[in-house]
Amino acid sequence: MHGSKGRTRPNSSQGYSRGRVNVPVVHFVYAEGCSLQARRIIQVHQVPDRYFYVFGTNLARSSSTDFHNAGFQFCHLRHTCVSSETDSLSEVEKVIRSRTVSFGGAGVQHPLKDKVIKLCDSLSDAAREIGAVNTIVNLQSGRVGGHNTDWLGIIKPLKNADIVATPVRI
């Protein structure tokens, strides 16, 4: 990965540590070896501060908030990701529909993945087909979209091992 275009390489001189997780910082290298200057992009596009959430139960074992906060810090974004230990759909709805909180998006974990579909104004094809949402994105005008990326964590390792997976409807 020495100077490869569009690849990532770890920068061992930097990192982010919070509690039980030490997240290595990844430096993105682009064409001609130029680094993406996040601060400049934020200045030009005036990226607003946002709150991101992880909804679900048993979140104490999850490193999602640590991982996201490390990424925000590395990209010089003043966003914050927090855990919301809940199994209540109404609590999730209060947060994503709130006008007082700058909702940026959310990760959804058990047992809410199938329940939050009701709160989404639009669904990706994968979320619709699977019948579950693990990512909520803030669209515009108070609308939210639901996506499911869990299947990628199943399919990509199979493809990397040259295993052909045949879809089966259950």
Side-chain angles (χ1 to χ4, degrees), residues 52 96-97 103-108 119-124 133-140 142-149:
F52 293 80
I96 67 175
R97 301 287 185 216
F103 177 74
V108 181
L119 304 179
C120 297
D121 299 302
S122 64
L123 294 173
S124 67
V133 165
N134 73 336
T135 304
I136 300 173
V137 295
N138 184 358
L139 301 172
Q140 294 179 355
R143 295 171 45 86
V144 295
H147 300 277
N148 189 304
T149 59

Side-chain angles (χ1 to χ4, degrees), residues 29-48:
V29 179
Y30 293 87
E32 309 303 323
C34 297
S35 295
L36 177 65
Q37 296 180 4
R39 284 188 185 150
R40 183 69 182 133
I41 291 171
I42 293 164
Q43 290 170 350
V44 170
H45 296 285
Q46 299 176 353
V47 177

Side-chain angles (χ1 to χ4, degrees), residues 53-131:
Y53 295 82
V54 178
F55 296 113
T57 57
N58 298 316
L59 298 179
R61 299 182 308 195
S62 173
S63 60
S64 292
T65 55
D66 295 329
F67 183 77
H68 284 87
N69 285 321
F72 295 150
Q73 181 184 19
F74 177 72
C75 293
H76 306 285
L77 296 169
R78 294 181 307 255
H79 301 326
T80 302
C81 185
V82 296
S83 293
S84 180
E85 183 86 23
T86 184
D87 61 1
S88 168
L89 188 61
S90 63
E91 286 185 38
V92 174
E93 185 171 26
K94 284 178 194 173
V95 171
I96 67 175
R97 301 287 185 216
S98 172
R99 297 291 179 223
T100 59
V101 174
S102 296
F103 177 74
V108 181
Q109 296 186 9
H110 178 77
L112 295 165
K113 290 184 179 190
D114 57 340
K115 296 175 185 176
V116 298
I117 287 176
K118 298 175 190 174
L119 304 179
C120 297
D121 299 302
S122 64
L123 294 173
S124 67
D125 291 341
R128 190 176 303 103
E129 185 72 22
I130 294 168

